[in-house]
Amino acid sequence: MAELSRETGVSVPMIKFYLREGLLPGGERTSPNQARYGAAHVRRIKLLRAMAEYGGLSLADIRALLARLDEPGGGLHERLGAAQRTVMPHREPGEGERWEAAARRAQELIARHGWRQHPDSPAMRAVTGVLASLDELGYEEMLTRLDAYAEAAGRIAQADVEAVASAPEVERMVEIVVACTPLGDTLVAALRRIAQSSISGRLFGEEGGKGEEGC
């Protein structure tokens, strides 16, 4: 256990927590007080740490994602959908004319880009809710640029799927689908903020600024 902690940078109490919670399979028992752990344990611990620290996932979300990772069978498309549903906040649909108008706008946006999505899915509810909020706040500057956002999302999604397709084996594909969905969300959000700061510095900042402050 101590060697496993040194190898992963995760404390022994946390590793024991992972074991108690069933997030980490037990090692091969070599004596009443010792067990042997292998490369698979090291990888799983690093994966757990990444999903919690960088993916920002709760214990319940991590448990659900690992269940998808460990279950036998099932196609990659179905597992990607399951991973998305796990990490996507579940919101109740709104009501009223504003929500209905936002829902139509969302469906038209998706259709323009040749995508398919059930209108009542968590992702579509999230898009609809954001569009309704933007409309209520009068942010027409954002609403008129929805296709630009969609095009950027499409390029990111293409990179995601290509990453999955480049994996050497099915098990690795499934791991990328499950683990990299939340990690990719965090990566894109962080890169967006860095780009915002840099572009804002060029447009509005003082000449010669380093672009480290701003958005």
Side-chain angles (χ1 to χ4, degrees):
M1 183 75 69
E3 293 176 5
L4 192 60
S5 176
R6 285 194 295 272
E7 179 72 19
T8 61
V10 175
S11 68
V12 170
M14 182 58 69
I15 293 174
K16 290 181 177 179
F17 172 77
Y18 290 156
L19 289 167
R20 287 196 306 271
E21 293 295 321
L23 302 175
L24 180 70
E28 178 187 353
R29 185 66 60 184
T30 58
S31 72
N33 297 319
Q34 285 190 323
R36 180 180 293 111
Y37 299 94
H41 292 90
V42 171
R43 182 164 187 81
R44 174 56 64 92
I45 291 172
K46 290 181 177 179
L47 181 61
L48 290 168
R49 182 178 183 179
M51 287 195 290
E53 293 186 3
Y54 297 104
L57 297 182
S58 68
L59 178 62
D61 287 339
I62 292 173
R63 191 188 306 281
L65 284 174
L66 290 180
R68 301 294 181 185
L69 182 62
D70 293 334
E71 67 185 5
L76 288 172
H77 180 65
E78 289 76 14
R79 293 197 184 196
L80 175 57
Q84 290 177 330
R85 289 191 294 274
T86 298
V87 300
M88 197 77 195
H90 292 264
R91 298 177 173 89
E92 292 299 318
E95 298 178 345
E97 294 182 2
R98 191 183 300 277
W99 178 271
E100 292 172 2
R104 288 193 298 271
R105 190 174 220 161
Q107 291 166 23
E108 291 168 359
L109 175 67
I110 298 306
R112 280 200 303 275
H113 291 269
W115 302 336
R116 293 183 297 173
Q117 185 75 192
H118 192 283
D120 198 38
S121 71
M124 284 299 290
R125 286 186 184 180
V127 171
T128 300
V130 170
L131 297 187
S133 296
L134 291 174
D135 179 60
E136 185 175 14
L137 294 167
Y139 290 143
E140 194 65 24
E141 299 89 345
M142 298 281 287
L143 292 171
T144 58
R145 291 167 171 79
L146 291 180
D147 284 297
Y149 285 104
E151 288 165 6
R155 290 194 294 272
I156 293 169
Q158 183 71 33
D160 289 339
V161 176
E162 288 175 355
V164 172
S166 68
E169 55 190 16
V170 173
E171 290 78 8
R172 178 72 170 179
M173 289 181 178
V174 173
E175 182 177 327
I176 292 174
V177 166
V178 171
C180 291
T181 296
L183 292 177
D185 289 344
T186 303
L187 174 63
V188 170
L191 289 174
R192 180 189 184 191
R193 282 152 180 75
I194 292 170
Q196 284 175 338
S197 179
S198 298
I199 294 169
S200 174
R202 289 199 299 269
L203 291 177
F204 312 119
E206 295 181 3
E207 187 175 353
K210 296 182 180 180
E212 295 171 351
E213 303 293 337
C215 297

